[in-house]
Amino acid sequence: MDFDKDIQYIALEIGAKMIENGAEICRAEDTVKRILRAKGVQKIEVFCLSSVILVSADGKVMLSRIRKNDPCLSEIDRLNALSRALCEGKEFTYREQRYPLPVKLVSVVLGTGSFCLFFGGSLYDALLAGLIGILLTLLPHIISTQFAKTLFDAALAGCLSFLFSFVVPHTHPDKMMLGTIMLLVPGLT
């Protein structure tokens, strides 16, 4: 593989990783273009969707399928630092880093509980919303499309909210649902 194809592959992978971690489509496209321009590529076309990224650089076309969507702002920050280093010609070592599961679960409970309280729920509602959030986070997903996964999670959150309202007296399923569904809103998680 020649240099242009190597940098094209690297730019493609950075763009795909950005989308996988929840970056906006236009941000991923712009990052890929900047990397390729900095390396002297003249004719650049980048097309991204939430499930695919296509890069054409000086007549060479590459495509990458994006199969997961797991928002992680620290990864987007790391990928931005990597792209800046590539554009400036500096060396940079990229190591993917994910939050450990206990940190993720505590964040889910705090996030769902806080939104539940914000929307007028009680402390019991917030704790139950946190429990539903944990269940949604730990649930293994066999659904491949992000839309279907989000729809399934929202339906499950609604069903569990109503189920808990029958088991625990004086709870508000609508407030629990609002707090839990906030986990599914892109950009908030």
Side-chain angles (χ1 to χ4, degrees), residues 27-91:
R27 187 174 186 176
E29 287 178 348
D30 185 56
T31 299
V32 172
K33 286 178 189 175
R34 286 176 188 265
I35 292 170
L36 293 173
R37 267 194 217 111
K39 297 301 178 182
V41 179
Q42 298 299 315
K43 290 190 271 180
I44 304 166
E45 292 295 329
V46 181
F47 178 74
C48 297
L49 295 172
S50 60
S51 60
V52 70
I53 180 169
L54 176 75
V55 177
S56 171
D58 288 341
K60 298 172 186 151
V61 179
M62 292 182 131
L63 174 93
S64 180
R65 177 90 162 95
I66 300 167
R67 298 195 186 278
K68 71 174 193 166
N69 184 341
D70 186 20
C72 183
L73 294 178
S74 66
E75 278 305 301
I76 294 172
D77 184 51
R78 224 180 309 283
L79 289 163
N80 280 334
L82 173 60
S83 69
R84 279 190 221 99
L86 284 171
C87 290
E88 295 169 3
K90 297 178 181 175
E91 279 198 33

Side-chain angles (χ1 to χ4, degrees), residues 16 47-48 52 64 82 89 123 130 143 163 172 177 184:
F47 178 74
C48 297
V52 70
S64 180
L82 173 60
L123 191 56
I143 302 170
L163 179 70
H172 307 93
M177 260 189 279
L184 309 176

Side-chain angles (χ1 to χ4, degrees), residues 11-21 28 32 53 64 66:
L12 176 81
E13 285 299 308
I14 290 173
K17 285 269 188 206
M18 289 183 80
I19 295 171
E20 283 178 3
N21 287 290
V32 172
I53 180 169
S64 180
I66 300 167

Side-chain angles (χ1 to χ4, degrees), residues 4-189:
D4 288 342
K5 200 131 177 145
D6 282 345
I7 196 62
Q8 184 179 358
Y9 177 75
I10 290 168
L12 176 81
E13 285 299 308
I14 290 173
K17 285 269 188 206
M18 289 183 80
I19 295 171
E20 283 178 3
N21 287 290
E24 299 91 357
I25 300 295
C26 59
R27 187 174 186 176
E29 287 178 348
D30 185 56
T31 299
V32 172
K33 286 178 189 175
R34 286 176 188 265
I35 292 170
L36 293 173
R37 267 194 217 111
K39 297 301 178 182
V41 179
Q42 298 299 315
K43 290 190 271 180
I44 304 166
E45 292 295 329
V46 181
F47 178 74
C48 297
L49 295 172
S50 60
S51 60
V52 70
I53 180 169
L54 176 75
V55 177
S56 171
D58 288 341
K60 298 172 186 151
V61 179
M62 292 182 131
L63 174 93
S64 180
R65 177 90 162 95
I66 300 167
R67 298 195 186 278
K68 71 174 193 166
N69 184 341
D70 186 20
C72 183
L73 294 178
S74 66
E75 278 305 301
I76 294 172
D77 184 51
R78 224 180 309 283
L79 289 163
N80 280 334
L82 173 60
S83 69
R84 279 190 221 99
L86 284 171
C87 290
E88 295 169 3
K90 297 178 181 175
E91 279 198 33
F92 187 90
T93 305
Y94 173 75
R95 278 179 253 114
E96 188 172 352
Q97 182 179 346
R98 293 277 170 198
Y99 294 113
L101 185 61
V103 171
K104 203 173 194 178
L105 294 179
V106 167
S107 300
V108 163
V109 170
L110 289 174
T112 55
S114 297
F115 276 113
C116 185
L117 292 172
F118 175 77
F119 289 117
S122 67
L123 191 56
Y124 287 122
D125 297 333
L127 292 173
L128 292 172
L131 181 62
I132 295 169
I134 287 174
L135 293 174
L136 292 179
T137 303
L138 295 177
L139 183 70
H141 288 94
I142 56 172
I143 302 170
S144 60
T145 62
Q146 185 62 32
F147 176 76
K149 177 189 170 301
T150 303
L151 187 64
F152 176 78
D153 284 350
L156 184 62
C159 291
L160 289 173
S161 296
F162 275 103
L163 179 70
F164 283 143
S165 71
F166 291 124
V167 176
V168 181
H170 308 295
T171 56
H172 307 93
D174 55 331
K175 310 300 186 213
M176 287 187 280
M177 260 189 279
L178 281 170
T180 306
I181 287 177
M182 286 297 148
L183 285 177
L184 309 176
V185 177
L188 291 180
T189 55

